[in-house]
Amino acid sequence: MFGIDNLKITLTFNPFLFFLAIILFVGFTIFIYRYTVPQISRSKKLLLTILRILSLTLLLLAIFEPTVTIIKKNILQPVTLFFVDNSRSILSEDGLNKNQKIFAILDELKKTDLINNTQLKLFGSKVAELNADSIDNISFKEGSTNFNNIFNFVSESKDNISSIVILSDGVITDGPNPIYTAEKNAIPVFAIGVGDTTKRKDIEIKNILCNEFLYAETPTTLSVTILNEGFANRNVNLTFYENDVQIGQKSFALNPDGFQNISIDYTPKSSGEKKLSFSLSTLDGEFNKANNRKVFFINVLSNKVKAVLLAGSPSADLSFIKNTLLEDNNLSVNSVTQIGTNKFLEKNSRERLLDSAEVLILVGFPSRETTTEMMNKVSALISEKNIPYLFILSGSTDLNKLSQLKKDLPFIANNSANNYLEVQPNISSDESKNSLLQNNSSDPITAWNSLPPVYQPFAEFTVKPESEAVAKVKLNNISTNKPIIITRSLGNQRSIAILAKDIWKWKLQTALKNQDVFDRFILNSVKWLNSPEDKKRIQVKTTKKLFALGEEIEFTAQVYDDAFNPISEAEVKVSVKKDKENFELSLNSLGNGLYEGAVQTNKPGNYSFVGEAKLNNKLLGSDKGLFNVGEVDIEMMNTKMDYEFLNSLANVSGGKFFDSNESKSLFKLLSELNLKSSKEKIDTKEYSLWSNEFLLLAIILLFGVEWFIRKREGML
């Protein structure tokens, strides 16, 4: 009845007591209204009896707190989500007529009963609706292809999705590879490939590798990967540009193997964001000349990061760490080593060095000899100037004095003792992409987990909520939850803590194996600590650096106050400039200090922008950046169907790959799958009657009406 499959009423107390109380109330009410003073008519006695019984019953309901549970069963019909690639690569002039094949497949779909259970979607940079009656209007003009957006859409859908169909050439030009997401979704993906996998005569700039951190006036090497098919031993020129100004060129012969890396020396003259581009000379007979050019943006840091080592006493750890830092020409390294109260090994200006520090490295600091004046100085640098630091525990570390820094430490230390435990680092595979842990080993995490034991004080170390335990302790080959390496990034403060001494042993063992675990970790730590990204209160960015003509340029912003609390009421405006043209847009607040906005332009070229945030007409700060529109059409750089990706996507999800001429077989398979994919959805709703305000109003109303009648009749 009414689509309700089950109706259940539950009471807080025993239902027997509820019905017993009702019987008593009914009996009591009949008894008191049997004789009245003065006597009233029988009809009024009956009315008063009913009013009293109803009001007492409702009052009893409120006391027994009844809850009504309604259960409904709904049959969810299966839905097939059909995603059609709307990107420009479909219109590539390769003689394959990929767009016509797509139209033919969609026309075939419309002739089947499957269309009744199918939702058509377009995808490129975003997912959009596609009406079955407007298939002929598909434009194939999207400037990028983001497969990950498909699975974001699927995860938010409330439908009973029986299968996903993707009609595409399989070339990803934006967003991450969705293979892992597809596997987790557990919904079969059926891929229809359009295009050709035949190798054509071509040369291509496949990839460019460079260091994550580049410094002004410091030489570095860029590695350019060149692919060629059918042009072995032909001579080409590779030209290198910075901000569209040629700064180098190299001539070479194409490798018969079809693959080669070309090294290009590069010394940025100044800091800031740079547009770098490489261009290969073209050859007659090339299938695709669009992939002869590669453009990317880098951020060059100011040269020589000033690192100051502050040690509580001389130690092997101090010597090994200092030697590693001195090997990096991008670092200016100085040390302050305490050998007694107000006695130091180096004859330098400690005050000046500490004031100039951009990164602090605390080795066994503070010690028992550390003065209050020195502790106050270091505490001010960390808490007030937000100087990032690397903390390494040592035998000389005084944990009691260290408590002065407890507000800014990434951990809490309790119950310390003079004893030490022999421990090894234990790092989970989840940290395989952590930039701090990378090294030259084929398996960086295994290299870390094979390091020799070091010594950790017998103490209770607790990771603060805003911190992360990158490595935990392995004790006698048994994994524990005790931390050994901790990172902390909170607002504009960064720190790393190594809660063990004698880490120099890591250097000795790995050096024998030609591994750079120790050196890379120390240097990566300094780079991570000095990374400027999180230090800005106002951050304004484009979602990417290269946009296609006509593509929406999306801006995002983050706004914080001095304490790095998010500000959601700011006025954020972005001024965009190209040559002599300027235009401005306002970003919309999303809450929690986040803002977004978009603008569109059909004029190709290099653009710069400046974003400003104001609150009550007061400037909070600004940020700037660069982006490019239309110089490189990423959709035309690779027009060959990526069979490997489409086939893998289908296989990991339990689906199957189909060629474009096999669509009828696919539609038959999907129809059979839909017959087995109906689901029963159970909707359960609970209503707490006792907390309903209408129940209270009804009780008051019933008692009020009874009182009014008794008063009017002059009853006692």
Side-chain angles (χ1 to χ4, degrees):
M1 179 182 262
F2 306 113
I4 297 174
D5 293 281
N6 197 355
L7 180 66
K8 185 167 60 174
I9 300 176
T10 56
L11 302 172
T12 304
F13 303 104
N14 193 319
F16 172 77
L17 297 176
F18 175 74
F19 290 109
L20 178 62
I22 287 179
I23 293 171
L24 292 175
F25 283 155
V26 170
F28 174 72
T29 303
I30 293 173
F31 175 78
I32 63 171
Y33 279 118
R34 186 176 180 184
Y35 300 105
T36 61
V37 179
Q39 281 292 331
I40 60 175
S41 67
R42 187 170 181 178
S43 60
K44 288 184 178 177
K45 282 184 181 181
L46 180 61
L47 177 60
L48 290 171
T49 301
I50 291 172
L51 289 172
R52 175 66 65 88
I53 291 173
L54 285 175
S55 58
L56 290 175
T57 300
L58 292 179
L59 184 61
L60 201 61
L61 276 173
I63 295 171
F64 275 73
E65 300 181 359
T67 300
V68 176
T69 303
I70 298 174
I71 299 174
K72 293 182 180 180
K73 293 180 181 178
N74 298 313
I75 303 298
L76 298 179
Q77 296 300 322
V79 172
T80 297
L81 294 184
F82 202 109
F83 294 90
V84 181
D85 191 338
N86 191 34
S87 64
R88 278 209 297 273
S89 62
I90 300 298
L91 295 178
S92 60
E93 297 178 0
D94 50 13
L96 297 175
N97 297 320
K98 290 184 280 189
N99 59 326
Q100 296 304 319
K101 289 182 179 180
I102 288 176
F103 288 138
I105 291 169
L106 293 176
D107 286 338
E108 187 67 37
L109 174 64
K110 288 171 64 176
K111 296 174 184 177
T112 67
D113 292 335
L114 181 65
I115 191 67
N116 298 322
N117 294 84
T118 299
Q119 293 181 14
L120 293 174
K121 310 287 179 184
L122 292 174
F123 79 98
S125 58
K126 296 178 181 177
V127 172
E129 296 292 328
L130 173 61
N131 193 298
D133 296 326
S134 58
I135 286 173
D136 293 338
N137 297 328
I138 301 175
S139 63
F140 303 109
K141 288 185 177 180
E142 288 275 1
S144 60
T145 310
N146 190 321
F147 280 80
N148 198 57
N149 284 341
I150 292 175
F151 296 95
N152 290 338
F153 178 88
V154 170
S155 65
E156 294 171 2
S157 175
K158 303 298 182 184
D159 294 315
N160 174 25
I161 302 171
S162 61
S163 59
I164 300 167
V165 179
I166 299 177
L167 179 55
S168 171
D169 57 12
V171 180
I172 301 173
T173 59
D174 189 24
N177 189 313
I179 291 282
Y180 177 67
T181 308
E183 186 177 15
K184 274 176 51 178
N185 268 346
I187 300 174
V189 176
F190 297 92
I192 306 176
V194 290
D196 189 8
T197 58
T198 304
K199 291 184 177 180
R200 310 286 186 102
K201 289 186 68 174
D202 198 23
I203 57 175
E204 174 189 0
I205 300 177
K206 184 65 176 178
N207 196 20
I208 300 169
L209 296 178
C210 65
N211 291 328
E212 183 180 357
F213 300 98
L214 299 182
Y215 296 90
E217 300 179 358
T218 300
T220 188
T221 300
L222 308 179
S223 179
V224 184
T225 302
I226 309 292
L227 302 182
N228 85 83
E229 182 68 35
F231 289 105
N233 300 315
R234 295 284 298 273
N235 291 320
V236 293
N237 295 323
L238 179 65
T239 309
F240 178 31
Y241 301 86
E242 181 190 77
N243 295 335
D244 296 330
V245 177
Q246 182 177 331
I247 59 173
Q249 188 177 74
K250 182 174 281 192
S251 299
F252 58 93
L254 293 170
N255 198 315
D257 296 335
F259 174 93
Q260 63 200 112
N261 287 318
I262 305 299
S263 296
I264 300 291
D265 295 328
Y266 173 51
T267 304
K269 301 300 182 185
S270 60
S271 60
E273 192 170 24
K274 310 287 183 185
K275 175 193 172 188
L276 301 184
S277 53
F278 286 90
S279 180
L280 270 175
S281 55
T282 59
L283 296 174
D284 291 337
E286 270 192 78
F287 171 68
N288 183 4
K289 295 179 181 179
N291 54 20
N292 287 34
R293 184 171 176 80
K294 202 85 167 178
V295 178
F296 63 105
F297 290 79
I298 60 167
N299 193 26
V300 179
L301 305 177
S302 59
N303 59 348
K304 295 290 185 183
V305 177
K306 295 174 183 177
V308 176
L309 287 121
L310 186 55
S313 66
S315 67
D317 282 346
L318 173 64
S319 299
F320 276 71
I321 292 169
K322 186 173 183 179
N323 289 336
T324 293
L325 295 174
L326 288 171
E327 290 175 3
D328 191 333
N329 294 327
N330 296 313
L331 300 177
S332 170
V333 182
N334 287 282
S335 58
V336 177
T337 310
Q338 196 160 11
I339 55 176
T341 305
N342 284 325
K343 294 182 180 180
F344 298 89
L345 186 64
E346 298 85 359
K347 306 298 181 184
N348 50 29
S349 174
R350 294 182 296 279
E351 190 81 12
R352 181 182 59 80
L353 280 178
L354 290 173
D355 284 336
S356 67
E358 293 175 303
V359 176
L360 283 174
I361 297 151
L362 309 179
V363 184
F365 180 93
S367 66
R368 288 187 296 275
E369 285 77 25
T370 302
T371 61
T372 302
E373 181 184 4
M374 178 65 81
M375 280 302 305
N376 291 338
K377 178 67 176 178
V378 173
S379 178
L381 288 172
I382 292 173
S383 62
E384 296 174 16
K385 292 190 175 182
N386 299 315
I387 301 298
Y389 67 93
L390 169 62
F391 172 82
I392 297 110
L393 205 60
S394 181
S396 64
T397 305
D398 188 331
L399 293 179
N400 291 325
K401 287 189 176 180
L402 185 65
S403 62
Q404 187 172 333
L405 303 176
K406 63 182 180 182
K407 181 172 69 73
D408 301 299
L409 289 172
F411 62 90
I412 300 170
N414 291 312
N415 305 324
S416 60
N418 294 324
N419 299 328
Y420 286 84
L421 295 170
E422 201 173 47
V423 301
Q424 289 176 279
N426 181 45
I427 298 172
S428 73
S429 57
D430 295 340
E431 299 289 343
S432 60
K433 300 298 183 183
N434 193 316
S435 61
L436 294 177
L437 306 176
Q438 302 308 305
N439 53 71
N440 64 354
S441 172
S442 59
D443 187 346
I445 299 302
T446 300
W448 269 95
N449 291 336
S450 302
L451 291 175
V454 290
Y455 295 97
Q456 184 177 77
F458 194 83
E460 182 182 330
F461 294 108
T462 304
V463 181
K464 286 184 176 179
E466 70 275 12
S467 304
E468 179 187 356
V470 173
K472 296 181 180 179
V473 162
K474 185 164 59 177
L475 189 62
N476 296 326
N477 285 325
I478 299 173
S479 300
T480 72
N481 282 322
K482 293 183 65 176
I484 187 171
I485 300 176
I486 304 172
T487 61
R488 179 177 184 257
S489 180
L490 182 65
N492 56 351
Q493 292 184 325
R494 282 191 168 195
S495 58
I496 301 173
I498 305 174
L499 303 178
K501 68 171 187 173
D502 292 350
I503 62 171
W504 58 268
K505 295 179 180 179
W506 295 348
K507 167 82 171 180
L508 283 187
Q509 175 174 302
T510 54
L512 296 173
K513 299 179 181 179
N514 293 319
Q515 294 177 345
D516 60 357
V517 176
F518 180 88
D519 291 343
R520 284 279 293 277
F521 174 66
I522 296 299
L523 294 175
N524 287 341
S525 295
V526 173
K527 290 176 180 178
W528 183 83
L529 290 168
N530 191 54
S531 174
E533 190 62 31
D534 292 340
K535 294 184 179 181
K536 294 188 292 188
R537 292 171 48 216
I538 312 301
Q539 298 179 32
V540 183
K541 299 178 182 178
T542 51
T543 52
K544 56 185 180 181
K545 290 294 185 179
L546 301 174
F547 294 89
L549 279 174
E551 187 178 2
E552 269 197 343
I553 300 154
E554 297 180 359
F555 289 88
T556 62
Q558 299 178 51
V559 181
Y560 302 94
D561 62 15
D562 291 332
F564 268 73
N565 297 309
I567 299 175
S568 300
E569 302 81 25
E571 180 187 15
V572 182
K573 290 188 176 181
V574 180
S575 177
V576 182
K577 181 179 180 182
K578 178 188 178 295
D579 299 329
K580 295 182 180 180
E581 296 181 26
N582 290 277
F583 56 90
E584 189 176 79
L585 73 151
S586 297
L587 304 190
N588 301 315
S589 176
L590 302 176
N592 202 31
L594 302 176
Y595 298 78
E596 71 172 6
V599 69
Q600 204 167 24
T601 177
N602 285 310
K603 295 184 178 180
N606 297 318
Y607 289 78
S608 63
F609 67 87
V610 176
E612 289 187 344
K614 292 182 178 180
L615 186 64
N616 299 326
N617 290 322
K618 180 183 178 182
L619 182 66
L620 299 175
S622 63
D623 197 8
K624 62 183 180 179
L626 306 171
F627 63 90
N628 178 274
V629 175
E631 181 171 336
V632 176
D633 193 342
I634 55 175
E635 280 296 311
M636 294 301 171
M637 295 187 72
N638 181 11
T639 59
K640 186 175 68 174
M641 182 178 73
D642 193 339
Y643 166 78
E644 287 76 13
F645 165 67
L646 291 174
N647 189 53
S648 297
L649 186 67
N651 287 336
V652 299
S653 63
K656 187 178 177 182
F657 173 84
F658 288 82
D659 196 63
S660 57
N661 57 10
E662 299 175 315
S663 57
K664 290 183 179 179
S665 300
L666 171 60
F667 297 156
K668 181 180 178 182
L669 176 62
L670 294 175
S671 297
E672 294 172 356
L673 185 62
N674 281 349
L675 293 175
K676 308 172 187 175
S677 301
S678 295
K679 287 184 180 179
E680 186 179 73
K681 182 183 178 183
I682 298 176
D683 290 326
T684 303
K685 293 184 179 179
E686 288 189 349
Y687 300 93
S688 299
L689 300 181
W690 56 274
S691 61
N692 193 305
E693 62 270 18
F694 294 109
L695 179 65
L696 179 61
L697 289 173
I699 293 171
I700 295 172
L701 180 63
L702 290 169
F703 275 124
V705 171
E706 183 190 2
W707 175 84
F708 176 77
I709 294 173
R710 289 175 61 93
K711 197 73 173 174
R712 187 169 181 178
E713 296 295 329
M715 296 175 61
L716 296 176

